[in-house]
Amino acid sequence: MITPKSTKEYLAESLVELMQNKSLKNITTKDIAKNCHLTSTTFYNHFKDKYDLLSWIYNNRIGYFIDQINETYDWYHAAIDSLTYIKENITFFQNALKNANGQNSFRVSTYNINYNAALKIILKVNPAFSENSINIFTLKLYFYGVMEIISEIILSVQEFEPIDIAKKLMEGMPEKARECLVRTEEWKS
């Protein structure tokens, strides 16, 4: 069954397409709307500005994989799929990293998506996790580090394999968090 796209999805696809050949700082909301045959008014009915749209893209593309986590699809698999999506759209992510700062930046948005989702899952599995402040500290430290490493990988010109990066991310994850987030041993091979 074909699922119709929302206006937000059309605007997101438009921005991703435009960012393949043009710097984010040189793209206007009018450009985004025009590229998908919409008006600027329509754009502003859905987003405050292009950075708000950028944040929506992170939440809906990267967040999608995290939202799929269940008994058989764990954090490891979500990491592979997120990294694969990033690799497939590397020019977009490079452009976003170079041209967006602050609360709508890739680093801040994806940190918030990952940390908040991980903590929610961990607390569901192990409610006592948050009682030890070092657990929260190491989880925050881990996700800050992950975002910096992923950003570094995106900005480098080197090819990367999502499965290799995902395995390293699982190895570096604090053990108490990994016990709650990773249900497979595949990452060890």
Side-chain angles (χ1 to χ4, degrees):
M1 178 179 206
I2 297 172
T3 306
K5 293 181 184 176
S6 71
T7 302
K8 287 184 175 185
E9 289 167 330
Y10 281 117
L11 291 165
E13 285 180 10
S14 177
L15 180 58
V16 170
E17 181 180 295
L18 289 168
M19 286 176 64
Q20 299 303 315
N21 300 310
K22 195 173 182 181
S23 171
L24 175 64
K25 63 184 173 189
N26 295 326
I27 298 171
T28 66
T29 56
K30 184 177 179 178
D31 295 334
I32 298 165
K34 185 178 178 183
N35 191 48
C36 61
H37 309 287
L38 297 172
T39 65
S40 293
T41 302
T42 302
F43 179 94
Y44 288 112
N45 285 337
H46 296 280
F47 298 103
K48 293 183 297 189
D49 55 29
K50 64 185 175 185
Y51 300 102
D52 188 31
L53 171 56
L54 195 60
S55 185
W56 187 88
I57 293 169
Y58 301 145
N59 281 299
N60 284 274
R61 300 299 192 265
I62 304 298
Y64 168 81
F65 300 111
I66 295 169
D67 290 343
Q68 302 307 306
I69 293 173
N70 58 38
E71 293 300 316
T72 57
Y73 182 84
D74 63 8
W75 203 270
Y76 172 64
H77 295 99
I80 292 169
D81 290 342
S82 295
L83 290 162
T84 300
Y85 178 78
I86 289 169
K87 184 177 181 177
E88 290 168 353
N89 295 279
I90 196 71
T91 303
F92 165 77
F93 285 100
Q94 288 170 335
N95 193 338
L97 270 164
K98 291 175 186 173
N99 295 292
N101 298 308
Q103 68 183 20
N104 293 326
S105 71
F106 174 80
R107 286 177 174 96
V108 173
S109 292
T110 52
Y111 166 81
N112 288 331
I113 294 164
N114 282 280
Y115 172 77
N116 291 328
L119 186 59
K120 183 178 176 182
I121 294 167
I122 290 167
L123 291 176
K124 191 183 284 187
V125 174
N126 179 4
F129 182 87
S130 64
E131 292 172 11
N132 184 341
S133 62
I134 196 69
N135 288 342
I136 298 298
F137 176 80
T138 57
L139 189 66
K140 286 181 178 181
L141 183 65
Y142 170 75
F143 280 109
Y144 275 119
V146 166
M147 291 308 100
E148 287 306 310
I149 289 168
I150 299 300
S151 296
E152 186 178 298
I153 290 167
I154 291 169
L155 291 173
S156 76
V157 293
Q158 298 174 349
E159 277 289 312
F160 68 92
E161 287 305 317
I163 197 164
D164 295 338
I165 302 301
K167 286 178 180 181
K168 290 175 182 173
L169 294 177
M170 296 310 109
E171 288 173 26
M173 185 181 283
E175 188 175 344
K176 289 188 184 297
R178 190 172 52 240
E179 290 169 359
C180 300
L181 296 172
V182 184
R183 305 209 187 279
T184 180
E185 298 291 314
E186 289 175 50
W187 63 272
K188 290 183 177 179
S189 60

